[in-house]
Amino acid sequence: MMGNKSFGPPVVMGDESIMSKKAHGTSDGPVQDNLRWACDKETADRICNFNRHYAEHSGYFQTKKDYLNEATKTENEGETTTDIKYYDSNSGNLLFSAPKGRTMQEFLVESRAHGWPSFRDQEVNWEHVRVLKDGETVSTAGTHLGHNLPDRTGNRYCINLVCVAGNPKL
């Protein structure tokens, strides 16, 4: 990983205590029963709550027809005016909204190139997302989301779709 690092604004750094052992791995409970885009609950629970380093397989998001259909619909409705909301699979908190500052096509091209949905700073809801000093990206509820892997254009958050397939918190 990246070691001990600090990422500049707008990144909100988190403390390792966010990922401390809780009632269900690193979270208070299991992932939601009815995840969006037909994401697998068992896979999601393992990656979100009992994992700190591994991920769903590269390209997993591309196997989710419901997700790709929503993205295509979003793109056709007005590339930069409509976005998809991504909610924590455990808590239901809003974590990401994309695309922002780019088209859905640009978001999907970048995501396909890296194998995971790839978010940029302006697409992160910093109220509920933190980055740890090794680049691990987590929710404030203790959900492992993925990693911040900066590139030449800035911070890039490679996020597991199963970890952001939750339904909105009521």
Side-chain angles (χ1 to χ4, degrees):
M1 283 305 188
M2 303 174 92
N4 293 335
K5 188 169 178 140
S6 180
F7 301 91
V11 174
V12 178
M13 297 298 293
D15 185 87
E16 186 65 31
S17 64
I18 296 169
M19 299 303 285
S20 64
K21 185 162 177 47
K22 297 180 186 74
H24 191 78
T26 57
S27 298
D28 289 332
V31 297
Q32 298 172 359
D33 286 325
N34 190 20
L35 295 174
R36 294 162 60 209
W37 308 307
C39 286
D40 181 68
K41 181 180 178 179
E42 184 179 314
T43 301
D45 199 48
R46 182 174 28 85
I47 292 172
C48 295
N49 297 315
F50 297 98
N51 163 62
R52 299 290 305 279
H53 304 289
Y54 301 103
E56 65 201 13
H57 66 81
S58 177
Y60 176 86
F61 79 97
Q62 294 181 80
T63 70
K64 296 296 161 191
K65 290 185 181 9
D66 291 347
Y67 174 72
L68 294 176
N69 287 341
E70 185 173 342
T72 301
K73 181 178 180 251
T74 298
E75 180 178 27
N76 292 337
E77 286 180 357
E79 298 176 357
T80 58
T81 58
T82 306
D83 57 12
I84 295 177
K85 306 287 188 218
Y86 299 82
Y87 297 93
D88 189 321
S89 292
N90 284 307
S91 70
N93 290 328
L94 177 64
L95 302 177
F96 301 93
S97 298
K100 287 188 178 176
R102 58 183 170 165
T103 66
M104 179 57 78
Q105 182 62 28
E106 291 166 328
F107 172 81
L108 290 172
V109 165
E110 180 173 48
S111 297
R112 286 181 182 122
H114 297 289
W116 288 269
S118 295
F119 299 93
R120 295 295 177 162
D121 286 333
Q122 68 271 21
E123 296 166 328
V124 181
N125 178 3
W126 293 110
E127 181 180 352
H128 299 292
V129 176
R130 299 291 182 267
V131 177
L132 305 184
K133 60 187 175 184
D134 66 353
E136 182 181 6
T137 303
V138 301
S139 79
T140 55
T143 306
H144 169 83
L145 303 173
H147 289 86
N148 179 13
L149 303 170
D151 61 15
R152 60 181 163 62
T153 62
N155 292 311
R156 179 174 49 84
Y157 308 92
C158 287
I159 303 299
N160 296 291
L161 186 67
V162 296
C163 299
V164 294
N167 293 287
K169 187 177 189 174
L170 299 176

